[in-house]
Amino acid sequence: MTSEFAVELRDVVKQFITPEGNQLNAVDHVTMQIKNGEFFSMLGSSGCGKTTSLRMIAGFEWTTEGEVYIEGKPMGHTPPFQRKVNTVFQSYALFQHMSVYQNIAFGLEMEGVKEEEIKKRVGRALEMVQLTGMERRKPKQLSGGQQQRVAVARALVKTPDVLLLDEPLGALDLKLRKEMQLELKALQQQLGITFVYVTHDQEEALTMSDRIAVMSQGKVQQMGTPVEIYERPANKFVADFIGESNFLEGKIKSLEKDDARVFIPALNMEIRGLPISEGLVKGEEVVVSIRPEKIRITDKNAKAENLFHAVVKNTVYIGADTHIYVSAQGVNLKVLEQNHISRLDPNSFYHVGQDVGLMLMPENTLVLKKDA
Amino acid sequence: MLKRLRENKSIQGTLLALPTTAWLFVLLIIPLVLTLIISFGRRSPDGNVIYTFTLDNYIRLFGYSTNCDNGQASCFDPLYVQILWRSLTLAFNTTLIVITMAYPLAYFIARAHPKKRNTYLFMVLIPLWTNFVIRVYAWMMLLRKEGAINIILGTVAGWLHINFAPLELLYTPGAVLVGMVYEFLPFMILPIYTSLEKIDTSLYEAAADLGANSIKTLLRVTLPLSMPGVVAGTILVFIPVMGTFIVSDILGGRQVILIGNLIQRQFLDARDPAFGSSASLILMIMTLIVTYFYTRKFGFGEEIIAA
């Protein structure tokens, strides 16, 4: 390994011409550094540029501007088969006319590896994905999850420096998907190679990744560990996209250290003791973001700082949690309570129309720029 | 009655299969049986069939002749065997040439921009809107001694001050081959195109990703996956080429007689339906044998027929 980074995108732009003849930057000045041995995810909804970025790393697309580096080397117009990366495709892209063995051996045959060596390596790859004994099956005779494993084995048998995965679990049902998530993560840790993983499923990204790049409209909105991205979203888009958030519009009243204050006109109250985010100025219009699980419901008569009153509109029992929809002076908020206790007694729920107090903990409340 | 019908699946099945069965019976089984019966008959002096049971027609077809030069009672006359062999080799050659021409074209269309594909397919289909016979006559105009090809060659030779005698292109086996290839090319392009078009582009990307260059991708991925189209096209081309007589009639004259011409002449000129029927059945059996071995090896190209 010659470089600290397995993959690096420097100011990469990918321009497409839309059918209407307009120019569109599918990837718009993206810079990211993916470290060696890292499980890195690109997360975003469809059309955010994540798959295009992955395809540029694989070599299926070339950059319009900027450069892709693999192991420190600029890739330019290097064709896919000369890059030390391999791809697991969303549709698996297995060769239907070949057996499982032939599919996995294909890449080694192309390298000119000797027959005996191929046999050994395919055997090991099959073992790795727990498909030993399936050599002679055709892809059509396998379940979706098994096909997925063949696709992974086919890419890994080439011992790439970087494995690229394009929504590889999208076609599987929920339970299998969760199993495969853990399996892929374990595989990555065991092999110690870099995985670049594209997904639109935030839970998947949070479960598996060392670091995540949240993308939207061709731009990286935030890059960081799952905890950073969830607990300290960089802007309103990320706060909204990852998990759920309640947003309150307000104006910065004061910016004293560890005691920033934001006035919320809709609630006619001031939230105090907020941590200061960089780049905010006094008097600025901001958005206050609060996760539903970080609002505490208390008695309506409780007295505390950052407490306001609300009326319960609806409660929804989800098994592990209860979602409580409340309205505070016309502002709708969602609160999430974990069901620590059995809910068999209907009186254990807040009832519709009940007056409650809502308490915000400033350290769990984020002040974000409004324009984002 | 109606209630019973609604409940009884097997009666329903029989009733639903009835139209097809009747259709097959009237249009396939009866004519085939009639042909078989006639083929064992004999020609009457006035050109009708005397119904009897004789294998004379078949024996004659395979070279037994009573019409010998050297005064012998019987001898081997290869005329009809030659015709059969000529038809078979021509059908093979036509199919091979059509595959080699159609594949690259179909590949080009399948990999073209989706918007342009329909235009290209349209261009492939346009000739089919013209009558089959007229298209063959058009080739006669091109291949004649005073035809377009000789005129162009002559003009070019004139510029280069070379002596040029117009080429004898028409009424040769080559002319028949060209005509056959031209007539049946679209029937190969379309099924190959269909099978190529269905190949997911991610398969090409996967091949490239795994280290295959474009030639290896073509040989290891594209060709095997498009074989159903080639098989379907081969069946669509080989069988009609074996039986058609118009192309050889117009472009081959009396020089290139195929089994199709033989059959046609027995019915219309020689007025020997019995011999014509036996030739028809031999053609059918030959075609069936070739198709049987071919499909046993490669399948029917079901994927294409289903699509």
Side-chain angles (χ1 to χ4, degrees):
Chain A
M1 304 273 165
T2 48
S3 169
E4 182 195 348
F5 301 121
V7 178
E8 209 184 336
L9 271 64
R10 278 192 213 158
D11 209 21
V12 166
V13 175
K14 179 67 192 182
Q15 201 166 69
F16 287 117
I17 308 295
T18 63
E20 293 80 39
N22 302 319
Q23 291 179 343
L24 175 84
N25 284 355
V27 174
D28 195 3
H29 297 280
V30 162
T31 294
M32 50 176 120
Q33 281 126 5
I34 301 166
K35 293 178 204 147
N36 273 312
E38 185 172 44
F39 198 120
F40 187 90
S41 292
M42 296 190 227
L43 173 64
S45 43
S46 66
C48 73
K50 58 190 192 299
T51 296
T52 309
S53 301
L54 193 82
R55 290 171 60 81
M56 286 190 287
I57 301 172
F60 303 135
E61 309 270 1
W62 290 330
T63 60
T64 311
E65 281 173 41
E67 186 65 281
V68 173
Y69 296 79
I70 295 174
E71 295 298 341
K73 286 189 216 79
M75 282 296 117
H77 288 186
T78 310
F81 54 89
Q82 285 168 8
R83 301 185 182 206
K84 274 297 270 176
V85 300
N86 284 108
T87 306
V88 176
F89 292 85
Q90 183 169 16
S91 56
Y92 313 145
L94 297 178
F95 304 124
Q96 300 294 338
H97 60 296
M98 297 184 196
S99 66
V100 168
Y101 181 91
Q102 288 168 323
N103 262 285
I104 300 173
F106 184 85
L108 297 175
E109 281 171 33
M110 293 300 125
E111 274 178 50
V113 178
K114 282 206 201 84
E115 181 98 36
E116 246 166 67
E117 171 80 8
I118 292 180
K119 227 177 208 171
K120 245 189 274 166
R121 282 169 70 177
V122 172
R124 247 182 287 146
L126 280 166
E127 217 170 284
M128 202 159 58
V129 296
Q130 297 158 35
L131 280 180
T132 310
M134 300 279 191
E135 288 87 345
R136 304 182 68 178
R137 298 259 187 109
K138 288 280 173 71
K140 270 192 185 147
Q141 297 167 301
L142 301 177
S143 70
Q146 288 171 328
Q147 291 185 34
Q148 171 60 55
R149 288 159 199 263
V150 176
V152 171
R154 188 178 67 174
L156 283 178
V157 80
K158 300 269 290 179
T159 59
D161 292 337
V162 182
L163 186 71
L164 308 174
L165 303 103
D166 184 7
E167 307 226 18
L169 307 181
L172 305 180
D173 62 63
L174 186 66
K175 197 150 183 254
L176 193 55
R177 197 155 73 219
K178 300 221 160 177
E179 276 173 38
M180 284 299 291
Q181 285 171 10
L182 298 176
E183 243 176 73
L184 281 175
K185 175 73 186 168
L187 200 60
Q188 186 263 340
Q189 283 170 336
Q190 178 197 329
L191 295 170
I193 64 170
T194 313
F195 275 35
V196 181
Y197 194 98
V198 159
T199 181
H200 66 271
D201 182 338
Q202 43 153 314
E203 209 180 306
E204 194 165 285
L206 293 172
T207 307
M208 303 168 84
S209 316
D210 296 319
R211 283 196 309 144
I212 300 171
V214 182
M215 295 182 73
S216 164
Q217 297 182 325
K219 291 193 169 73
V220 175
Q221 298 294 331
Q222 189 176 1
M223 213 168 343
T225 65
V227 173
E228 280 166 6
I229 280 179
Y230 188 80
E231 301 290 348
R232 287 288 175 267
N235 54 43
K236 192 182 165 191
F237 174 84
V238 177
D240 200 22
F241 188 75
I242 309 287
E244 280 179 286
S245 270
N246 295 296
F247 294 110
L248 297 169
E249 294 192 357
K251 197 174 187 175
I252 296 182
K253 279 278 165 192
S254 80
L255 266 175
E256 277 163 61
K257 194 169 187 306
D258 290 331
D259 189 20
R261 294 179 180 196
V262 173
F263 182 70
I264 311 292
L267 299 176
N268 195 22
M269 73 171 283
E270 199 173 73
I271 305 175
R272 297 174 182 184
L274 292 164
I276 304 168
S277 307
E278 274 174 42
L280 295 171
V281 292
K282 197 172 163 186
E284 192 174 335
E285 302 268 342
V286 290
V287 174
V288 174
S289 160
I290 316 128
R291 299 282 188 200
E293 76 276 12
K294 284 172 179 150
I295 300 176
R296 196 182 293 166
I297 299 196
T298 62
D299 189 77
K300 63 172 177 174
N301 298 318
K303 289 266 178 280
E305 209 172 45
N306 296 332
L307 185 118
F308 56 100
H309 287 226
V311 180
V312 175
K313 288 281 177 198
N314 195 10
T315 61
V316 181
Y317 173 73
I318 312 281
D321 323 297
T322 301
H323 297 178
I324 302 148
Y325 296 88
V326 299
S327 170
Q329 297 172 51
V331 180
N332 291 319
L333 296 166
K334 181 175 176 179
V335 181
L336 188 144
E337 263 200 344
Q338 268 202 317
N339 296 330
H340 296 293
I341 50 158
S342 159
R343 293 287 193 179
L344 285 173
D345 178 5
N347 289 325
S348 68
F349 291 107
Y350 292 98
H351 62 260
V352 175
Q354 187 174 351
D355 279 326
V356 292
L358 298 182
M359 207 162 80
L360 305 181
M361 279 143 291
E363 66 274 21
N364 292 333
T365 304
L366 287 167
V367 184
L368 302 170
K369 273 186 180 295
K370 197 178 177 185
D371 55 9
Chain B
M1 173 68 195
L2 267 175
K3 189 165 174 276
R4 246 191 74 204
L5 186 62
R6 225 173 282 141
E7 282 163 5
N8 193 327
K9 289 272 182 235
S10 92
I11 293 180
Q12 279 176 17
T14 313
L15 278 176
L16 285 172
L18 207 59
T20 316
T21 315
W23 190 87
L24 279 174
F25 194 74
V26 171
L27 295 172
L28 186 75
I29 309 289
I30 293 180
L32 214 56
V33 170
L34 283 178
T35 312
L36 188 71
I37 293 170
I38 295 171
S39 79
F40 292 124
R42 197 181 291 137
R43 181 185 191 275
S44 73
D46 59 350
N48 277 324
V49 184
I50 301 167
Y51 293 94
T52 166
F53 184 82
T54 167
L55 291 173
D56 283 358
N57 293 319
Y58 292 96
I59 293 169
R60 196 174 138 206
L61 210 52
F62 285 105
Y64 178 85
S65 172
T66 49
N67 191 7
C68 303
D69 298 333
N70 49 13
Q72 283 175 308
S74 67
C75 55
F76 178 72
D77 181 355
L79 176 67
Y80 300 122
V81 178
Q82 277 171 351
I83 290 175
L84 286 172
W85 180 247
R86 190 183 296 137
S87 302
L88 203 60
T89 47
L90 182 83
F92 270 117
N93 293 338
T94 305
T95 310
L96 273 181
I97 295 171
V98 165
I99 290 174
T100 44
M101 285 176 74
Y103 200 95
L105 198 61
Y107 187 81
F108 169 79
I109 299 173
R111 297 301 298 268
H113 192 277
K115 273 186 180 170
K116 289 186 182 154
R117 277 184 217 159
N118 282 338
T119 315
Y120 294 143
L121 284 176
F122 188 68
M123 282 157 68
V124 169
L125 290 174
I126 282 178
L128 296 182
W129 296 358
T130 315
N131 182 287
F132 188 89
V133 181
I134 291 173
R135 275 181 286 146
V136 184
Y137 267 109
W139 272 103
M140 200 165 99
M141 297 298 144
L142 290 172
L143 295 171
R144 271 187 322 163
K145 223 170 187 173
E146 315 79 31
I149 292 172
N150 271 322
I151 290 174
I152 292 168
L153 287 175
T155 313
V156 174
W159 290 341
L160 301 170
H161 304 289
I162 300 168
N163 281 331
F164 177 75
L167 300 172
E168 298 281 353
L169 298 170
L170 198 57
Y171 307 131
T172 60
V176 177
L177 187 65
V178 167
M180 292 282 196
V181 167
Y182 173 77
E183 289 297 339
F184 290 100
L185 192 59
F187 298 100
M188 186 66 81
I189 295 175
L190 296 178
I192 295 180
Y193 164 78
T194 311
S195 66
L196 283 171
E197 192 253 354
K198 277 200 297 192
I199 298 175
D200 189 347
T201 47
S202 69
L203 290 179
Y204 300 123
E205 289 179 350
D209 189 67
L210 294 167
N213 57 29
S214 47
I215 293 167
K216 279 181 177 157
T217 305
L218 179 71
L219 294 178
R220 295 286 307 271
V221 178
T222 317
L223 264 178
L225 285 174
S226 59
M227 267 315 277
V230 177
V231 172
T234 300
I235 293 169
L236 287 178
V237 170
F238 184 83
I239 295 175
V241 170
M242 277 292 281
T244 190
F245 58 88
I246 292 173
V247 178
S248 47
D249 216 31
I250 297 173
L251 299 179
R254 295 257 146 191
Q255 311 299 312
V256 188
I257 294 173
L258 302 176
I259 178 113
N261 305 94
L262 176 71
I263 295 165
Q264 182 225 7
R265 280 173 203 177
Q266 291 309 315
F267 279 98
L268 299 180
D269 301 339
R271 306 207 53 158
D272 189 351
F275 189 57
S277 295
S278 59
S280 302
L281 286 171
I282 290 299
L283 165 64
M284 211 176 87
I285 290 165
M286 265 171 46
T287 314
L288 275 177
I289 290 172
V290 174
T291 318
Y292 172 77
F293 282 109
Y294 182 71
T295 50
R296 223 174 58 151
K297 181 144 174 57
F298 297 109
F300 277 100
E302 296 91 337
E303 296 92 335
I304 293 305
I305 292 163

